[in-house]
Amino acid sequence: MKFTPEVLLVDDSPADIDLTTAALAGSKRHLHISSVNDGSEAILFLRREGKYGAAPAPDLVVLDLNLPRKTGLEVLSDVKHDPLLARIPVVIFSTSQASSDIGGSYALGANCYLSKPGTLPDFMAAVQSMADFWFGYASLPDKEKR
Amino acid sequence: MLIEETVASASVIPGKSGALSTPAPTERASGGLRVLLVEDEPADVELALKALSHAGFEVTSDVVQTQQEFTELLRKNSYDVILADYKLPNWNGMESIEILRAEGLDIPVMMVSGSLGDLKAVECIKQGAADYVLKDDLTRLPESVRRAVREKLLRDQNKSALEDLARSNRDLEQFAYVASHDLQEPLRMVAAYTQLLAERYKGKLDAEADKYIHYAVDGALRMQVLVRDLLAFSRIGRQSAGVGRIDCNTLMQNVLENLRAAIQQSSASIVYEHLPTVTADGSLLLQVLQNLVANAIKFHGTEPPVVRIAAEKKGREWVFSVSDNGIGIAAQHADTVFVIFKRLHTPTEYSGSGIGLSICKKIIEHHGGRIWFASEAGHGCTFYFTLPIEKYSTSSDPRSTSTAEKNEIHS
């Protein structure tokens, strides 16, 4: 059976979700992409609670920091403190280049911090190299039985 | 200068000798003089007040005898002037100056006393008394009070103007920071989606549409550079890596490394004499040197650029110079080159947003130094900047620049 990686995009900007999705589509990899627009939804999705009972288990979470209701750092902290979720790689994908955000993310166990580039070619290249790395070169953990 | 706290209550107590009853707040009489007397002799109080009212002052006054009363009334009311006797039963009038200082109040204190001798009088003035008037000759008192009050008013006006200026500068910096920071996000969207439009629909609409989209992309990208530079500019001094001992020779090696491509492309020679070790924020000072050297290379003439960096100790500061053999700057631009986003050339002649020199200026001023240039159009240019030795920089190199070895880098 061919492995189709599951990606969860967490971003409050529909424009960024579309742009990231377009970039991932451009990577020519066969991916399944889901998206949610705030931090609380992200946690519900990952725990398959409420309307997300049938949600797929992501192989990679791409997480924005500036989110309504629950910030990206709070989501990250919840994920890394949850034994069922902790092993899922989380890539922080944010405009912020503040050292406090970068350091704070790694301290909480982020697997990578990627700044959103300002121009389209750079944005596309960043997202595609992220997909190449995580789904082409990196070894991913087995999914937790839930 | 003392820092004055805002005294909320502007009430005064009508003059009752020695009274310390609860004051009824009254409106401050416009033009009236609010006097606090530190005096244990009622007759002397009368004389002083009489001298003032004869001279045309509309006086409201309180009289205190002890330090405790003095402090209490100062906290409760505001006064224009304090008349203090030097000798009091349990303290002396000079101590009132110390209390004012401790309370953070700036109110002129006139010593009104019997003869103390010249030495004591001078000592009073040294300690901060506005003037010294003999009880036996109160004719001087009104003029002296008038002068002290006028000086106080000037001090207040100066202080408030300075505070306004500082506040307005802070607001402006905050605005630049917030604006540039918050503009980045929507601007990134505009840039990305106009670029996506250009990529996906090029040739599918008509030639006009392609041109319009190109203008939109170009505008968004230029604005991104401006916003990014504005943010970098407004960040100077906001977040500091901290001040440390910086060997400027090492800094120059970093500059050469960072500018390697530009140096090679232009066949530039970068020459620096043995530079001092200074105390500064290294990453900021690196930006200054790098911007100045990069400019020197960018604005080259027909000859390959030769850029010399030197430092000379003059008095209590280091004077750095970065000189080139480039196109130079005409004298009439002396005031404008340091202005943010000010460019003297079109983007097709020379690239750049015009932020470099304003960043240099802000960094150098942040370090307590100055920056300027000397140039003649067509005959190269020398930028100078200073770093104070006392506050921020110290010399570790006793060798004079004339005997210094030279490091020369050719492309």
Side-chain angles (χ1 to χ4, degrees):
Chain A
M1 195 180 82
K2 199 172 174 235
F3 170 60
T4 302
E6 288 287 344
V7 181
L8 175 64
L9 304 180
V10 188
D11 204 310
D12 63 330
S13 154
D16 260 336
I17 299 256
D18 282 355
L19 209 55
T20 311
T21 306
L24 287 173
S27 76
K28 310 267 189 283
R29 288 183 179 278
H30 193 56
L31 304 170
H32 186 260
I33 300 162
S34 312
S35 64
V36 291
N37 298 117
D38 74 52
S40 305
E41 293 283 306
I43 293 298
L44 291 178
F45 186 102
L46 288 165
R47 292 190 176 143
R48 292 177 174 165
E49 287 171 6
K51 63 177 171 177
Y52 297 109
D59 294 290
L60 184 71
V61 176
V62 180
L63 179 63
D64 187 18
L65 285 185
N66 191 11
L67 295 171
R69 278 185 274 286
K70 205 180 244 282
T71 69
L73 287 181
E74 286 166 346
V75 172
L76 177 64
S77 174
D78 284 1
V79 168
K80 293 302 177 188
H81 284 98
D82 184 332
L84 289 175
L85 304 177
R87 60 171 70 176
I88 304 174
V90 178
V91 172
I92 302 297
F93 195 39
S94 164
T95 333
S96 167
Q97 293 186 31
S99 53
S100 57
D101 282 336
I102 298 169
S105 296
Y106 283 114
L108 285 171
N111 301 81
C112 174
Y113 192 105
L114 199 56
S115 292
K116 286 178 184 168
T119 64
L120 189 70
D122 290 345
F123 190 96
M124 295 291 173
V127 172
Q128 282 162 22
S129 68
M130 173 180 74
D132 283 344
F133 175 78
W134 286 104
F135 305 125
Y137 295 97
S139 301
L140 296 172
D142 290 337
K143 289 186 188 179
E144 280 286 339
K145 298 269 186 299
R146 294 190 289 180
Chain B
M1 191 166 76
L2 293 173
I3 297 159
E4 190 191 6
E5 287 173 359
T6 314
V7 180
S9 154
S11 62
V12 288
I13 316 169
K16 265 191 262 165
S17 298
L20 221 173
S21 54
T22 316
T26 54
E27 274 307 306
R28 170 185 172 176
S30 65
L33 186 73
R34 297 154 305 172
V35 183
L36 181 60
L37 293 108
V38 184
E39 179 62 78
D40 60 339
E41 188 55 62
D44 286 344
V45 169
E46 286 299 318
L47 282 174
L49 292 177
K50 215 169 261 173
L52 289 173
S53 52
H54 277 166
F57 280 107
E58 200 179 295
V59 182
T60 53
S61 65
D62 295 314
V63 181
V64 294
Q65 294 183 14
T66 68
Q67 279 165 292
Q68 202 200 343
E69 291 170 347
F70 181 70
T71 312
E72 272 175 26
L73 276 192
L74 277 181
R75 288 178 181 168
K76 205 161 3 186
N77 306 324
S78 65
Y79 296 98
D80 297 314
V81 67
I82 289 162
L83 305 185
D85 192 358
Y86 187 84
K87 279 181 196 146
L88 292 157
N90 294 312
W91 60 311
N92 78 54
M94 285 308 293
E95 285 171 51
S96 62
I97 292 178
E98 284 161 33
I99 294 173
L100 281 171
R101 229 168 247 157
E103 294 286 316
L105 293 171
D106 175 17
I107 306 173
V109 175
M110 320 285 308
M111 299 307 299
V112 182
S113 195
S115 181
L116 293 172
D118 288 349
L119 279 181
K120 270 259 165 64
V122 168
E123 184 59 25
C124 287
I125 304 286
K126 264 192 186 165
Q127 292 293 314
D131 202 355
Y132 178 86
V133 179
L134 286 175
K135 279 185 175 175
D136 301 339
D137 181 17
L138 287 174
T139 50
R140 270 190 63 232
L141 183 65
E143 191 41 46
S144 178
V145 165
R146 205 164 272 141
R147 197 183 61 231
V149 169
R150 198 166 51 229
E151 280 168 3
K152 163 69 170 26
L153 187 70
L154 284 177
R155 278 203 299 279
D156 283 354
Q157 283 170 347
N158 269 341
K159 198 174 71 170
S160 122
L162 283 175
E163 279 168 0
D164 283 352
L165 196 63
R167 188 169 41 242
S168 138
N169 274 341
R170 269 199 311 274
D171 288 352
L172 207 59
E173 297 222 335
Q174 182 67 13
F175 173 77
Y177 178 76
V178 170
S180 49
H181 187 262
D182 291 0
L183 284 175
Q184 277 192 317
E185 194 59 37
L187 196 51
R188 189 171 59 78
M189 283 302 138
V190 175
Y193 276 94
T194 47
Q195 283 176 296
L196 201 58
L197 265 180
E199 204 174 83
R200 300 242 170 122
Y201 296 92
K202 193 172 175 64
K204 290 182 184 171
L205 304 166
D206 58 17
E208 289 276 278
D210 285 351
K211 195 169 72 181
Y212 297 165
I213 293 171
H214 168 75
Y215 289 153
V217 169
D218 186 54
L221 292 181
R222 271 189 295 136
M223 190 160 166
Q224 273 188 318
V225 172
L226 292 179
V227 166
R228 190 196 60 210
D229 287 350
L230 188 59
L231 188 60
F233 180 78
S234 69
R235 272 192 176 138
I236 297 166
R238 283 181 80 89
Q239 34 184 232
S240 170
V243 169
R245 303 270 295 150
I246 305 296
D247 181 350
C248 293
N249 301 289
T250 315
L251 226 47
M252 275 309 301
Q253 283 166 20
N254 294 336
V255 169
L256 296 175
E257 187 58 38
N258 296 344
L259 298 177
R260 184 192 291 273
I263 291 170
Q264 279 172 359
Q265 269 169 29
S266 60
S267 307
S269 309
I270 314 293
V271 186
Y272 58 100
E273 299 170 16
H274 202 97
L275 300 173
T277 293
V278 298
T279 305
D281 183 317
S283 67
L284 293 182
L285 192 55
L286 174 74
Q287 281 187 60
V288 172
L289 287 169
Q290 187 166 318
N291 282 344
L292 292 179
V293 172
N295 275 352
I297 294 171
K298 183 158 84 175
F299 298 102
H300 62 78
T302 46
E303 296 290 306
V306 179
V307 188
R308 295 175 192 280
I309 300 94
E312 197 182 338
K313 195 174 183 175
K314 276 190 184 163
R316 290 180 164 183
E317 57 189 18
W318 283 105
V319 181
F320 283 78
S321 60
V322 178
S323 52
D324 65 47
N325 57 341
I327 58 170
I329 304 170
Q332 72 258 34
H333 300 305
D335 295 332
T336 51
V337 294
F338 293 106
V339 174
I340 191 167
F341 298 141
K342 186 74 193 178
R343 308 178 72 262
L344 301 180
H345 306 276
T346 64
T348 46
E349 290 171 319
Y350 294 98
S351 62
S353 70
I355 191 85
L357 286 176
S358 40
I359 281 184
C360 290
K361 184 166 190 274
K362 194 169 174 192
I363 291 173
I364 291 303
E365 288 177 354
H366 181 67
H367 281 80
R370 291 163 287 126
I371 186 166
W372 70 98
F373 72 89
S375 178
E376 216 179 300
H379 293 91
C381 179
T382 302
F383 274 87
Y384 299 92
F385 65 87
T386 65
L387 288 175
I389 289 171
E390 293 280 291
K391 193 175 162 198
Y392 271 109
S393 69
T394 49
S395 165
S396 68
D397 187 356
R399 280 178 294 178
S400 76
T401 48
S402 59
T403 60
E405 63 199 82
K406 290 193 174 186
N407 300 308
E408 208 155 323
I409 309 282
H410 288 278
S411 60

